[in-house]
Amino acid sequence: MVKQIWLNLPVKDVAKSKEFFTKLGFSFNDNFGGGPDSACLLVGSGNFVVMLFSEQIFKSFTQHPITDTVQSSEVLISIDAESREEVDELAKKAEAAGGIIFGKPGEAQGWLYGCGFSDLDGHRWNVLFMDYSKLPKKEN
């Protein structure tokens, strides 16, 4: 049976991507990757693995063209924040590190507070604080 899941993303410059995510407060597992062609980004308390691969290495795995993230999105990566303040802070850090905010921090549906940013390679990240106490109750 499946033991684990992780995400692989192509990046133009592994060192610059590593610097970007470090500025956002993320950590890396240098036992995996860590060279010029890959890095092992750890996300959240469960240390979800996002492998950052140089485009050349990524293409060798997929044997398929890489999506032009200026023209389209291949995935929306969502992160669960602990508070509205954490959402705001990550948005500020992402922008200061060179990312692009495509969705300013704000409330949605009365119980979600979030923002959206693109990293240096145009991959889209969604940061959400979910206030379950405000989640509308389903009628039976």
Side-chain angles (χ1 to χ4, degrees), residues 5 9 19 26 35 38 40 49 57 61 68 83 100 117 119 132:
I5 184 172
L9 291 176
E19 180 182 349
F26 293 104
S38 66
C40 180
V49 172
I57 297 296
F61 296 153
D68 178 357
S83 66
I100 296 171
F117 70 87
D119 65 23
Y132 293 109

Side-chain angles (χ1 to χ4, degrees), residues 73-135:
S73 296
E74 80 281 32
V75 68
L76 176 62
I77 306 157
S78 295
I79 301 172
D80 184 24
E82 291 185 20
S83 66
R84 294 168 69 106
E85 294 78 19
E86 185 177 25
V87 171
D88 293 340
E89 187 63 28
L90 272 171
K92 288 177 190 173
K93 286 180 179 179
E95 191 169 38
I100 296 171
I101 304 300
F102 65 82
K104 292 182 182 182
E107 193 168 305
Q109 301 176 19
W111 66 284
L112 295 170
Y113 184 82
C115 75
F117 70 87
S118 297
D119 65 23
L120 300 179
D121 292 281
H123 304 295
R124 290 182 170 241
W125 296 74
N126 188 33
V127 183
L128 293 172
F129 168 66
M130 296 174 274
D131 187 345
Y132 293 109
S133 70
K134 295 180 180 178
L135 182 65

Side-chain angles (χ1 to χ4, degrees), residues 21 25 28 41 56 69 111 129 135:
F21 287 106
F28 289 83
L41 172 65
Q56 179 181 352
T69 55
W111 66 284
F129 168 66
L135 182 65

